[in-house]
Amino acid sequence: MLKSIRARLTLTYIFLILAVMGVISVFLLNMLENYYLDYQKETMENSANLVAEIAASFMHREAELLILSTMAEDMARQINARVIIVDRQGMVLGDSQRVGGFFGRILLRPEIDAALAGETGSSVQYSQTLEQQVMQVAVPVMVEGDIRGAVFLSASLQNIYDNLLGMVRRFIITATLLALVLVGFLAALMAKTFTTPIEDLTAAARQMTAGNLKQDIPVRSEDEIGQLTRQFNLMSAKVLETNRQLREFVANASHELRTPLTTINLLVDSLRDFDEDPKIREEFLGDIHGETQRLIDLVSDLLDLARLDEQENKKSPQKPLNLVELIRGVVQAVSSRIERQGLTLDYREQSDNLPVLANADELKQVLNNLLDNALKYTEGGGCIRVEVRGGAREAFVAVADTGCGIPSEDLEKVFERFYRVDKARSREQGGTGLGLSICRELIAKHEGEMWAESQEGKGSTFYFVLPLLDVKKD
Ligand SMILES: Nc1ncnc2c1ncn2[C@@H]1O[C@H](COP(=O)(O)OP(=O)(O)OP(=O)(O)O)[C@@H](O)[C@H]1O
Ligand SMILES: [Mg+2]
């Protein structure tokens, strides 16, 4: 039972109330007890002084014992206390308790000793004979400035303890019980407001574990639990999206793999029929070679992506290198292909040393991909421009062409895996739509950024920036 937060919270509140009420009652009872004992003492002192004044007139020379005893009895009845009058030696001259009293005996009491010394003596103690708390007060009897004896009063405190303090105790107990019921109820209610969202979260997490990834828990508050719920919902959406992307990726990849395989299958079948004709056979074999090359390219792109996903937190080795030299090398390597396609190359470098921390192979792959696209999507007679320059903190590279361009609604999508603007044309060109997504991920790994600008029918420019080595953050 104590395992639940609700039970623990409720119990904590109950203990708190008990502790508070306990402390209050101890202080309150103590204060009241002291107050009433003081009050009782003062009353008894006044009564004792009154008795002493009256007794004084009967203790001039010879003490008038009978009168003193009768007076003690009368006073005792009035003030509800035992009254004893003693002489200077402590011998009892009058006792309100006639039967079994102390009459004629010497009474030795510290209070009487104090009174005979001219002071007021008092005490509170437990009386064995009465089996209850009693208060005793003694005052001197003065005759013409002389101490002639003392008046000793003893009264039960039972009334105070039974009635007054008992009543207060009962009041505190009732109040405590009421507070407990109320607080117990409120605590349970409050605990419920805490635990309900947590229970919701647990249930949703259980659902997700069972495979039901779409979870949307109502956010009931703006506190920490509310924030947790909000984050949980975001996490659920993210997991759902990642899962969707993964499924889509597998479906796309399978589709892309199946297309050339089906073509190869058909070509092999047809080859059997046209086995006699060497010209057709040669043509078919060429096609089969083309399709297998496509498969190899696709699989190597897929492997690149798998490697990138795996290395998301792990970098491939990077070394300081001169970006300008690297780009110059790649451009030189493709320049003959550019010419062969009847295009002109416009290469501009505005600096000859731009140091970056990078993986040379990966940067070459990015540049080759961009140039490959520019070549694929630009008709003869066009121009391919490559530009490299340095900014204050970063190196800036642009690969532009005067090709078919990309419609603005597709401009961001071209960086998605398998996305191709014109599927038929791209496939004809041997593209699978993975090149740019690989490029962007590679640049991101270098803490850089990649984006594109394009005008349909006029051409496209792909940009990327890389942080320069001496200002790199880490
Ligand atoms: N320079 C460009 N001009 C016009 N369209 C482009 C250009 N570069 C990319 N695209 C469009 O963006 C799409 C995605 O490019 P991406 O490089 O990712 O794939 P691909 O070139 O089709 O195939 P892959 O690079 O995987 O062989 C292309 O299919 C094409 O439609
Ligand atoms: Mg490409």
Side-chain angles (χ1 to χ4, degrees):
M1 184 224 178
L2 279 179
K3 275 189 185 153
S4 76
I5 292 183
R6 193 175 299 188
R8 268 186 273 166
L9 218 69
T10 311
L11 267 178
T12 309
Y13 282 122
I14 287 177
F15 277 128
L16 217 71
I17 284 289
L18 280 178
V20 169
M21 290 307 264
V23 171
I24 288 180
S25 58
V26 164
F27 277 101
L28 195 69
L29 284 171
N30 209 283
M31 202 183 77
L32 276 174
E33 191 179 349
N34 286 340
Y35 174 78
Y36 279 103
L37 285 180
D38 282 352
Y39 176 75
Q40 176 79 1
K41 193 177 146 203
E42 207 182 305
T43 314
M44 279 175 78
E45 260 177 47
N46 288 342
S47 304
N49 281 325
L50 191 70
V51 176
E53 248 173 62
I54 301 171
S57 49
F58 303 105
M59 286 168 77
H60 273 296
R61 284 169 303 277
E62 278 292 294
E64 295 173 58
L65 301 180
L66 193 66
I67 296 176
L68 286 175
S69 280
T70 318
M71 192 193 74
E73 237 178 316
D74 278 355
M75 286 308 286
R77 222 173 292 122
Q78 279 177 44
I79 62 173
N80 200 14
R82 185 170 176 181
V83 179
I84 296 172
I85 301 162
V86 297
D87 69 7
R88 220 179 322 202
Q89 279 74 42
M91 192 169 78
V92 176
L93 305 176
D95 186 347
S96 60
Q97 191 180 318
R98 292 227 179 161
V99 185
F102 296 122
F103 185 72
R105 283 163 48 188
I106 300 277
L107 195 58
L108 294 170
R109 295 272 180 162
E111 300 84 23
I112 292 180
D113 288 349
L116 291 176
E119 284 160 25
T120 303
S122 72
S123 72
V124 174
Q125 50 191 249
Y126 187 75
S127 157
Q128 299 289 348
T129 40
L130 293 173
E131 290 183 347
Q132 50 184 245
Q133 293 280 351
V134 290
M135 178 177 271
Q136 297 166 327
V137 171
V139 295
V141 176
M142 309 287 287
V143 178
E144 290 160 5
D146 273 357
I147 299 170
R148 284 289 166 85
V151 170
F152 175 82
L153 298 191
S154 167
S156 161
L157 294 174
Q158 200 61 16
N159 194 29
I160 291 177
Y161 283 106
D162 279 2
N163 296 348
L164 193 90
L165 295 179
M167 202 174 77
V168 173
R169 212 172 279 134
R170 276 194 299 279
F171 170 79
I172 287 175
I173 289 172
T174 317
T176 307
L177 284 177
L178 266 175
L180 278 183
V181 172
L182 205 73
V183 163
F185 179 73
L186 283 179
L189 211 72
M190 208 163 122
K192 197 168 149 56
T193 62
F194 285 141
T195 52
T196 308
I198 296 177
E199 282 163 7
D200 285 355
L201 278 164
T202 313
R206 201 173 286 133
Q207 284 282 316
M208 281 186 81
T209 316
N212 192 355
L213 299 180
K214 188 170 165 41
Q215 295 297 324
D216 195 13
I217 312 168
V219 179
R220 296 170 208 267
S221 57
E222 283 307 316
D223 57 10
E224 290 89 333
I225 294 180
Q227 285 168 21
L228 176 66
T229 313
R230 209 180 288 277
Q231 279 306 317
F232 186 92
N233 288 340
L234 287 176
M235 181 187 74
S236 157
K238 178 82 187 165
V239 171
L240 201 72
E241 173 59 16
T242 309
N243 200 40
R244 189 194 63 76
Q245 281 176 359
L246 201 69
R247 279 167 199 267
E248 198 181 278
F249 179 75
V250 171
N252 280 332
S254 313
H255 180 78
E256 292 302 325
L257 285 168
R258 205 182 57 182
T259 314
L261 284 171
T262 315
T263 315
I264 292 170
N265 204 13
L266 276 172
L267 285 166
V268 171
D269 268 353
S270 316
L271 201 58
R272 280 204 194 103
D273 300 339
F274 294 96
D275 204 22
E276 305 299 311
D277 191 337
K279 211 174 137 237
I280 294 182
R281 208 177 60 192
E282 205 47 45
E283 195 182 311
F284 280 10
L285 281 174
D287 287 349
I288 291 173
H289 181 259
E291 290 301 318
T292 44
Q293 189 54 51
R294 214 166 116 77
L295 274 174
I296 292 168
D297 290 348
L298 176 60
V299 170
S300 80
D301 275 358
L302 286 175
L303 282 173
D304 277 348
L305 279 176
R307 202 165 42 86
L308 277 171
D309 285 346
E310 196 187 313
Q311 286 183 342
E312 205 147 70
N313 302 315
K314 204 168 38 157
K315 280 187 180 172
S316 45
Q318 295 183 342
K319 280 194 301 202
L321 55 86
N322 181 359
L323 183 68
V324 185
E325 251 170 41
L326 184 135
I327 290 175
R328 200 184 294 148
V330 175
V331 171
Q332 252 161 24
V334 291
S335 59
S336 57
R337 200 180 138 199
I338 295 175
E339 269 168 41
R340 246 184 290 130
Q341 261 187 245
L343 302 167
T344 46
L345 170 67
D346 175 6
Y347 176 62
R348 301 175 196 180
E349 48 186 52
Q350 288 183 6
S351 162
D352 53 357
N353 186 19
L354 292 174
V356 291
L357 188 67
N359 182 296
D361 289 338
E362 291 179 348
L363 286 192
K364 281 180 190 163
Q365 191 180 350
V366 171
L367 224 71
N368 276 321
N369 262 317
L370 295 179
L371 286 166
D372 183 55
N373 281 350
L375 279 160
K376 272 200 289 193
Y377 302 106
T378 310
E379 303 288 331
C383 170
I384 292 178
R385 180 172 57 85
V386 179
E387 189 185 333
V388 53
R389 63 184 154 88
R393 303 175 142 261
E394 48 217 347
F396 181 92
V397 180
V399 177
D401 61 54
T402 53
C404 61
I406 302 166
S408 55
E409 67 269 22
D410 293 310
L411 207 54
E412 225 358 72
K413 291 193 190 141
V414 295
F415 293 100
E416 288 173 14
R417 293 178 181 186
F418 294 111
Y419 193 86
R420 288 165 302 200
V421 178
D422 180 347
K423 291 208 170 25
R425 180 177 174 167
S426 297
R427 189 168 293 140
E428 211 174 275
Q429 303 272 12
T432 50
L434 290 175
L436 286 177
S437 66
I438 294 174
C439 287
R440 191 176 249 189
E441 287 186 43
L442 286 174
I443 291 297
K445 259 177 69 182
H446 286 80
E447 291 167 39
E449 258 181 84
M450 174 178 263
W451 71 97
E453 281 169 10
S454 183
Q455 253 190 314
E456 222 181 330
K458 293 211 167 159
S460 323
T461 311
F462 285 82
Y463 300 94
F464 68 85
V465 287
L466 292 176
L468 283 172
L469 187 58
D470 39 345
V471 289
K472 207 161 173 170
K473 282 156 249 150
D474 52 356

